């Protein structure tokens, strides 16, 4: 008995999502020298320095999510599968609909040592044409518009399910 693995073969995209600056507010001591500055304080005056407590606006860097871009700019959060590899500065966009977006998905058991990719496997180069499919074209258009770097790839990806 083994675990199920999935093997994907086809086009995918590495997307280098830029860090996004998010405005945040905190009720805190406004004195930047005070130890309580940037800590939440609920009283009207600072218990440490007696200074005024009010909302303080600051900018928090965060990592812009590709899901967010898909749902906001392409109106479909599930248009592509998004995989977040560990310790990488990119996310991976994979087809979610193999018929219209290309690619092949194989599910197999880890006790199977040989993965048969089948005899009808399309030769590599024509797979590049999958990037001409409508959904990929839409994604590329939005990424270009926002100046987000990406790389078109063909390959084999494997993960546990
Ligand atoms: Zn204070």
């Amino acid at each position: 008995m083994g675990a199920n693995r999935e093997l994907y073969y086809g086009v995918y995209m590495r997307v280098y999502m830029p860090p996004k600056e998010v405005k945040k507010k905190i009720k805190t001591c406004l004195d930047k020298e005070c130890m309580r500055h940037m800590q939440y304080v609920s009283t009207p005056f600072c218990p440490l320095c007696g200074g005024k407590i009010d909302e303080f606006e600051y900018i928090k860097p965060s990592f812009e999510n590709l899901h967010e871009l898909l749902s906001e700019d392409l109106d479909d959060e599930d248009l592509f599968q998004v995989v977040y590899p560990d310790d990488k500065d990119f996310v991976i966009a994979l087809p979610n609909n193999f018929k219209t977006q290309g690619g092949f998905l194989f599910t197999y058991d880890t006790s199977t040592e040989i993965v048969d990719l089948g005899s009808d496997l399309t030769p590599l180069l024509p797979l590049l044409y999958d990037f001409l499919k409508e959904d990929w074209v839409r994604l590329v258009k939005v990424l270009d518009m926002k100046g987000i770097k990406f790389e078109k790839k063909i390959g084999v990806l494997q993960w546990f399910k």
Side-chain angles (χ1 to χ4, degrees):
M1 292 293 280
N4 273 340
R5 278 193 185 200
E6 284 189 339
L7 190 83
Y8 170 78
Y9 178 87
V11 290
Y12 66 96
M13 204 181 262
R14 284 183 180 180
V15 185
Y16 297 83
M17 297 300 291
K20 186 172 77 171
E21 289 187 339
V22 179
K23 272 190 184 169
K24 293 260 183 190
K25 273 182 185 172
I26 185 171
K27 248 186 112 181
T28 188
C29 178
L30 296 181
D31 184 352
K32 288 177 183 165
E33 305 290 308
C34 179
M35 295 277 286
R36 300 300 295 268
H37 179 65
M38 293 304 286
Q39 288 178 7
Y40 176 76
V41 183
S42 60
T43 51
F45 294 97
C46 177
L48 200 66
C49 74
K52 196 173 183 275
I53 300 298
D54 209 345
E55 284 198 324
F56 180 78
E57 204 177 74
Y58 63 103
I59 288 176
K60 190 179 181 223
S62 76
F63 208 68
E64 194 171 6
N65 190 312
L66 183 56
H67 266 135
E68 205 176 287
L69 181 135
L70 292 177
S71 71
E72 283 174 13
D73 297 284
L74 291 161
D75 241 2
D76 185 358
E77 198 191 14
D78 299 317
L79 191 65
F80 290 97
Q81 295 187 57
V82 182
V83 181
Y84 300 85
D86 291 333
D87 306 321
K88 293 280 194 284
D89 59 347
F90 56 80
V91 296
I92 290 174
L94 285 175
N96 219 1
N97 183 333
F98 302 110
K99 268 194 184 140
T100 61
Q101 298 170 338
F104 306 89
L105 189 71
F106 305 90
T107 305
Y108 66 101
D109 196 279
T110 48
S111 59
T112 315
E113 285 185 12
I114 297 166
V115 182
D116 184 4
L117 292 181
S119 54
D120 59 344
L121 208 62
T122 320
L124 270 176
L125 269 169
L127 286 182
L128 271 176
Y129 289 111
D130 284 341
F131 282 120
L132 297 175
K133 292 180 195 284
E134 191 191 349
D135 291 344
W136 286 111
V137 172
R138 286 174 66 208
L139 178 63
V140 165
K141 203 171 158 189
V142 168
L143 294 174
D144 274 343
M145 213 169 65
K146 299 195 160 226
I148 297 170
K149 225 179 97 194
F150 60 88
E151 291 172 329
K152 291 172 177 174
K153 296 269 184 191
I154 297 177
V156 178
L157 300 168
Q158 177 188 265
W159 59 88
F160 283 100
K161 195 84 178 183

